[in-house]
Amino acid sequence: MKPERKSIDEIELLEQMLLVRAYEEMIVESSAAGKVPGTCTSVGQEAAGVGVVSALTADDLILTNHRSAAHLLARGADPGRLLAEVMGRRDGYCQGRSGSLHISVRELGVVLTSTIVGGELSLVTGVALAQKMLGRPGIVACFFGDGAACEGIFHESLNLASVWDLPILYVCENNQWQAFVHRRETMKSDHIAEWAAPYGVDGATVDGNDVAAVRAATLAAAAHVRDSSRPFLLETYTYRSRGHFEPDDQAYVDPAEHTAWLARDPIEACRRRLLGNGRLTPETAAALQQRVQQRIAAALAFAEASPFPDISEMTRDVYA
C-alpha cells in the first residue's frame, strides 16, 4: 500500500515560498527594529525547503536545522505560533522556550530543530532505527547544510544508516556558505551528493532554485527510500542570499557572485514560468501576494498579543 500524499499544484508551491519569504523578511525587519532576537534565515533557498517537504507524506518525520522556516511552514506550521516562539511568547509551539533555533512540532512530525551544526545528523539514525524496529510507516527526512557535510558526524551518520539499512532521506541544502566561510574554502568538490557512493548509498543533485524540480527529485528519492528501506542523499544546489545571522552586512561576500545568484531567485523563476505558460495571471499573482501579506500581518498580531511565560513556568518540561 503506497503512502497517501497530498497533491499540490505549482501555484500552491509558489504561495508557500511567498509565505516563507514574507515571514522571514518580517523577522528581519523586526530584528532591525529591536522587536525580536536576531536569527538565521533561509532567504533565497525557499524552493529547496518547500519542494522537499511538499513531497513528503504525513507519516514521514523531519529533523531540521537553524534555517528551518521553510521546512516548518511548508509542513503546515502556523506562522503566528512560529513567530510567537521566536518572540519568546507562551503561545509559541514550545511555549517560548526554543526561540527560532530549537523548534519542534510533534503533531506535524517535526522531531527537532538543531542549532548545533550537524546535530540533527547525530540523532537521525536513532529516530530512523526506532521507526524501523517499531514497524512504523514513514521515512525520516534530515535537513543539513554544506557546512554540516564537512563535519565528521555526516560521515558517521551516513555510514551507520547504510550498515543498518535505515529509511533516511538525507537532504543537503548546499547554499554555498558555511557561516562566514565560502564552501570553496572547506571542500574541493562542488557537489556533496557524490560523497554518498563510498558508503554504498545512492545520491543525486538537483537545482535547488527550481521548486518543481526539487519536488520531482524528492518524490523519486523518497520512493527509493520507501521501496528499498535504504538511505538516499539528495543535494539541493542553492544559495543563501542573506547573511549568516541577522543582522549581517555580508561584507565578506563577492558582490558579483551575490548578484548572479539573485538573478536566479527561486520565487521569481517560478512566477515567471507560471506567467509564461498561462497558469498564472498578473492579477492572480497580486492576489497571492496580498493573501500572504495578510497572513503575516495576522501572525504578527497574534504573536504580539501572546503573553510571556510566567516565571513559575520556567522549569516546566525540564527533566534534569
Side-chain angles (χ1 to χ4, degrees):
M1 182 177 177
K2 290 191 175 182
E4 291 187 10
R5 182 183 298 103
K6 177 186 174 185
S7 61
I8 190 166
D9 183 85
E10 194 170 356
I11 293 177
E12 294 179 72
L13 296 176
L14 173 61
E15 185 169 1
Q16 288 186 1
M17 290 193 294
L18 287 168
L19 179 65
V20 175
R21 178 73 60 87
Y23 171 84
E24 294 203 305
E25 287 182 341
M26 185 272 298
I27 286 183
V28 169
E29 293 174 7
S30 298
S31 176
K35 295 180 179 179
V36 303
T39 191
C40 298
T41 72
S42 59
V43 175
Q45 57 187 77
E46 295 88 354
V50 168
V52 169
V53 175
S54 73
L56 301 177
T57 73
D59 289 328
D60 298 334
L61 301 179
I62 294 174
L63 284 78
T64 181
N65 57 35
H66 51 285
R67 302 190 194 282
S68 63
H71 314 143
L72 292 162
L73 289 168
R75 189 63 168 179
D78 177 74
R81 292 190 66 188
L82 287 178
L83 183 56
E85 187 60 41
V86 173
M87 297 172 70
R89 306 301 180 101
R90 183 186 291 163
D91 293 319
Y93 276 108
C94 301
Q95 296 81 52
R97 289 172 170 76
S98 76
S100 67
L101 301 179
H102 298 280
I103 298 175
S104 62
V105 188
R106 182 176 181 178
E107 60 267 33
L108 295 178
V110 181
V111 179
L112 63 86
T113 296
S114 174
T115 189
I116 299 172
V117 176
E120 65 279 21
L121 288 165
S122 68
L123 298 172
V124 69
T125 48
V127 173
L129 181 61
Q131 288 284 91
K132 181 176 180 178
M133 293 180 70
L134 295 173
R136 292 172 177 163
I139 65 174
V140 186
C142 181
F143 290 91
F144 58 100
D146 46 298
C150 291
E151 297 274 341
I153 191 59
F154 164 75
H155 301 275
E156 294 178 43
S157 182
L158 206 62
N159 180 64
L160 202 57
S162 180
V163 170
W164 287 352
D165 294 323
L166 297 180
I168 301 174
L169 174 60
Y170 289 96
V171 182
C172 178
E173 294 177 309
N174 186 346
N175 64 15
Q176 314 303 310
W177 282 93
Q178 304 172 9
F180 308 103
V181 177
H182 199 282
R183 63 162 181 78
R184 286 192 298 268
E185 298 179 58
T186 65
M187 51 188 280
K188 289 292 186 181
S189 59
D190 280 337
H191 297 294
I192 289 155
E194 60 198 43
W195 295 2
Y199 300 104
V201 174
D202 290 330
T205 298
V206 64
D207 180 357
N209 282 21
D210 183 335
V211 69
V214 172
R215 176 175 164 81
T218 306
L219 288 171
H224 173 88
V225 176
R226 296 183 210 284
D227 295 343
S228 67
S229 295
R230 292 276 299 158
F232 190 96
L233 174 57
L234 178 65
E235 176 186 22
T236 60
Y237 201 73
T238 183
Y239 192 78
R240 166 170 57 80
S241 60
R242 292 196 64 84
H244 169 59
F245 189 85
E246 299 295 338
D248 182 348
D249 63 8
Q250 293 182 281
Y252 49 89
V253 176
D254 178 0
E257 175 192 87
H258 192 255
T259 299
W261 276 98
L262 288 179
R264 297 175 56 189
D265 181 86
I267 293 176
E268 286 308 308
C270 183
R271 184 165 20 217
R272 283 195 304 268
R273 180 166 60 242
L274 290 169
L275 287 169
N277 62 25
R279 302 270 323 286
L280 187 70
T281 66
E283 293 75 20
T284 305
L288 284 180
Q289 187 69 60
Q290 183 179 25
R291 185 159 65 229
V292 164
Q293 293 300 333
Q294 289 171 343
R295 287 190 67 186
I296 293 302
L300 180 59
F302 172 85
E304 290 182 334
S306 177
F308 287 101
D310 187 79
I311 191 68
S312 63
E313 301 174 54
M314 181 177 291
T315 57
R316 190 176 71 187
D317 299 330
V318 175
Y319 302 108

